[in-house]
Amino acid sequence: MQQGGVEIFLVGPTHIIEEELSKYNTAHLTIPCIEAKELIKEGEHPALALQRKPEASVAVAARLVKQGQADAMVTMGSTGAAMVSSLYTLGTFEGIERPVLAGPFLGFAPNTVVVDYGANVDCKPHHLVNFAVIGCVLAQKFLNIPHPTVALLSIGAEEGKGNNLVRESYPLFKNSGLNFIGNVEGNDIPLGKANVIVCDGFVGNILVKFCESLGGTIAAWLRESLQGQLPAGDINSLAEKLVSLTNPAEVYGGGPLLGVNGVVIVGHGRSRAPEVAKAIHQAKYAVEIGFVETLKSELSKAQAERVQAGVGAPGQARNQAGVRGSIPLS
Amino acid sequence: MQQGGVEIFLVGPTHIIEEELSKYNTAHLTIPCIEAKELIKEGEHPALALQRKPEASVAVAARLVKQGQADAMVTMGSTGAAMVSSLYTLGTFEGIERPVLAGPFLGFAPNTVVVDYGANVDCKPHHLVNFAVIGCVLAQKFLNIPHPTVALLSIGAEEGKGNNLVRESYPLFKNSGLNFIGNVEGNDIPLGKANVIVCDGFVGNILVKFCESLGGTIAAWLRESLQGQLPAGDINSLAEKLVSLTNPAEVYGGGPLLGVNGVVIVGHGRSRAPEVAKAIHQAKYAVEIGFVETLKSELSKAQAERVQAGVGAPGQARNQAGVRGSIPLS
């Protein structure tokens, strides 16, 4: 926190934060604590927990962003709680009903963003176009892919293959001005066949959770299969590497919550100082490049220029000058 | 083919079959060849290929079953071609629009059947109930699970979580008389949390293809990561074991095509003699236990007793006495 030109507020129960800070020499730092009486723990039902705990750190931090006291929120807590508090406090863009989660969820395909795994379900074709636009901005700005290829996730490569949603979306995608390469199938995801793979959040969520669980299962199988054949440390690092390659939160790292009116970076609960610093850096970067405004204006362009079906309006742009972040402890 | 009490017809271009047979001593065997002028190769578009090649082995074999000249068809060829020829020639049960594929697709969860990955898409709630019934009969008859647990694949455990299809299906499942345990999520599949996991074929197909591809990708990564650390043979067998554990066709082996009016066993293209023999044994078993009739009557019961929404009628039962099989070469 001595570097990077950001001003940090730590949000959470002050006694916990201060106890934690007392372990380090922070005499030369100014780190204001913002009291939040409560925490939401991993495993709690996000929406119910936030109803019961309106003073939870993640809610307080979101309000700081909403009120303009902070430019961004960074959390290593429950993704669900971050999504719900962002949804309730910051709100989503028009045409986006829930915060969109997207990112390179599979380490074997680091340049492939799957969107949505948030999960926005029972989508309409224009929602999928929105997801594609969001995925492209993410790929361009965070993965440095200038002209990301876009594909619809389906059950056959040819136009006309898929369910109603995909079949109806296909012509919209063809005329969207996006770099649309057609349908891809489930087997194409690990091969990184497109930079942005678009699906309804129901499919995306199941896929991402399946991937994480399968990775863990294979890692456990590897530990068992290799026992006695390799040094324990080598087996351990191989298994851990596999878990991280198949764990969306680790692959994705501290990524932005998409489609919400504010910069919210969600990192992994297991993050240590270097990962948290990286997430803060991402928040700063997102604020500096006007990521939220870019997303909004790209979505608005998609609506105005490409899609005839009604999508949301660009909405109000926030003034994002200056970089101040808030970190909820939850 | 000297064992098992089955009479085999080999269906395909006779010159290919005879050339193949000439490599073995078959003097003491009676193996009639049924001429089929054409073959459908892996990778061909099943429906288009069958239109162009009405005399393809898989079509001829299906007609033998339809005409009662064979009791079952066994194929190691294209699953798609087997599905389409079964659909066109044998037809599906009422309430089932395309042949249903189901089975323990993940070797890490050998007692978990996912249904449908066929893929029947844009399903209605009563279709999912049909899938559940099919999955249960499969689990009971082929996996020897007397009271299989049934779950809906969704994006949250609680009732009310999921997309419209899952939310509307949930009450039907609760009142179905099935051993319904609620929703499971993507991460529950490798853990084998239910014996029968039900989903729309769009989701199932993507999941199964993703699984197979991810397994192959991880196997390749293992080969690379372990190079020089273990003997090449050990690495090879570890990688091959992983591929087979995540390859639905290998896990599933020679399984029946479900919901079609006849016994059709589809095996893997890489099968060698032992796997083909096993598939023939499965065909014989399916015929002997009246698998198709059981499925039909269970679906009919599901309709009559449990589901108010209109599902198909039981239809005509075929006389299944005697076991004769036909194997198309494609």
Side-chain angles (χ1 to χ4, degrees), chain A residues 45 98 105-106 108 119 121-122 153-156 158 161-167 185-191 200-203 205-207 209-211 213-215 217-218 221-222 225-226 229-231 234 238-239 241-242 245-246, chain B residues 45-46 98 105-106 108 119 121-122 153-156 158 161-167 185-191 200-203 205-207 209-211 213-215 217-218 221-222 225-226 229-230 234 238-239 241-242 245-246:
Chain A
H45 186 288
R98 299 179 62 174
F105 80 91
L106 188 59
F108 295 105
V121 302
D122 295 315
L153 184 57
S154 190
I155 57 170
E158 307 87 355
K161 285 294 178 79
N163 57 8
N164 286 335
L165 174 62
V166 168
R167 284 197 303 267
E185 300 186 71
N187 46 302
D188 296 319
I189 300 173
L191 310 178
D200 182 281
F202 185 80
V203 177
N205 187 274
I206 288 172
L207 208 50
K209 287 180 178 165
F210 174 70
C211 179
S213 175
L214 182 58
T217 300
I218 295 176
W221 171 81
L222 272 181
S225 303
L226 291 173
Q229 295 191 57
L230 281 181
D234 291 359
L238 190 76
K241 178 78 184 154
L242 179 59
L245 281 166
T246 50
Chain B
H45 187 286
R98 299 180 63 174
F105 80 91
L106 187 59
F108 295 104
V121 300
D122 294 316
L153 184 57
S154 190
I155 56 170
E158 307 87 355
K161 285 293 178 80
N163 58 7
N164 285 334
L165 175 62
V166 168
R167 284 198 302 267
E185 300 185 71
N187 47 303
D188 295 321
I189 300 173
L191 310 178
D200 182 281
F202 185 80
V203 178
N205 188 273
I206 288 171
L207 208 50
K209 287 180 179 164
F210 174 71
C211 179
S213 177
L214 182 58
T217 300
I218 295 176
W221 171 80
L222 272 181
S225 303
L226 291 172
Q229 296 191 55
L230 281 180
D234 291 359
L238 190 76
K241 177 77 183 157
L242 179 59
L245 282 166
T246 50

Side-chain angles (χ1 to χ4, degrees), chain B:
Chain B
M1 299 174 197
Q2 295 147 292
Q3 302 166 330
V6 292
E7 188 185 335
I8 309 276
F9 304 127
L10 291 173
V11 183
T14 315
H15 68 280
I16 298 181
I17 297 175
E18 284 176 351
E19 193 191 320
E20 203 57 36
L21 287 176
S22 71
K23 298 176 188 169
Y24 307 92
N25 177 11
T26 58
H28 57 299
L29 293 172
T30 327
I31 308 178
C33 295
I34 310 261
E35 172 69 7
K37 290 197 186 73
E38 293 158 310
L39 298 175
I40 293 175
K41 289 178 187 149
E42 198 66 53
E44 286 191 79
H45 187 286
L48 296 179
L50 276 162
Q51 273 182 336
R52 276 197 310 266
K53 302 176 180 175
E55 293 305 313
S57 55
V58 74
V60 173
R63 287 202 290 271
L64 288 177
V65 174
K66 173 73 178 176
Q67 293 156 1
Q69 293 176 264
D71 290 309
M73 164 166 117
V74 174
T75 172
M76 306 293 133
S78 149
T79 304
M83 285 177 64
V84 175
S85 66
S86 302
L87 174 65
Y88 290 173
T89 307
L90 303 173
T92 52
F93 302 168
E94 273 186 71
I96 304 289
E97 276 148 46
R98 299 180 63 174
V100 173
L101 273 188
F105 80 91
L106 187 59
F108 295 104
N111 291 320
T112 293
V113 166
V114 170
V115 50
D116 169 59
Y117 58 86
N120 294 269
V121 300
D122 294 316
C123 295
K124 301 288 177 209
H126 69 268
H127 292 133
L128 295 198
V129 176
N130 283 352
F131 294 164
V133 172
I134 288 174
C136 285
V137 174
L138 189 74
Q140 285 165 340
K141 301 292 181 188
F142 280 80
L143 302 179
N144 296 315
I145 300 167
H147 303 292
T149 52
V150 174
L152 278 163
L153 184 57
S154 190
I155 56 170
E158 307 87 355
E159 179 167 3
K161 285 293 178 80
N163 58 7
N164 285 334
L165 175 62
V166 168
R167 284 198 302 267
E168 287 168 19
S169 300
Y170 200 104
L172 284 188
F173 274 70
K174 274 211 297 197
N175 299 319
S176 66
L178 294 164
N179 189 6
F180 179 55
I181 60 165
N183 292 342
V184 295
E185 300 185 71
N187 47 303
D188 295 321
I189 300 173
L191 310 178
K193 216 164 173 178
N195 298 125
V196 177
I197 295 182
V198 179
C199 58
D200 182 281
F202 185 80
V203 178
N205 188 273
I206 288 171
L207 208 50
V208 166
K209 287 180 179 164
F210 174 71
C211 179
E212 181 174 354
S213 177
L214 182 58
T217 300
I218 295 176
W221 171 80
L222 272 181
R223 284 180 195 278
E224 210 180 294
S225 303
L226 291 172
Q227 207 180 4
Q229 296 191 55
L230 281 180
D234 291 359
I235 296 174
N236 203 38
S237 62
L238 190 76
E240 281 184 0
K241 177 77 183 157
L242 179 59
V243 166
S244 74
L245 282 166
T246 50
N247 184 316
E250 295 202 17
V251 173
Y252 185 57
L257 216 53
L258 304 158
V260 298
N261 292 304
V263 173
V264 179
I265 305 288
V266 184
H268 197 278
R270 282 190 285 186
S271 299
R272 309 299 303 164
E275 290 82 28
V276 176
K278 201 176 146 199
I280 294 171
H281 177 78
Q282 286 209 356
K284 182 180 179 230
Y285 173 73
V287 171
E288 283 172 350
I289 66 167
F291 181 68
V292 171
E293 289 67 32
T294 304
L295 258 189
K296 265 197 180 168
S297 84
E298 288 299 320
L299 281 172
S300 163
K301 269 201 281 180
Q303 178 194 29
E305 293 171 20
R306 300 162 188 155
V307 187
Q308 301 205 334
V311 187
Q316 273 182 287
R318 286 177 59 247
N319 176 7
Q320 294 274 11
V323 180
R324 284 165 297 151
S326 68
I327 303 183
L329 295 179
S330 68

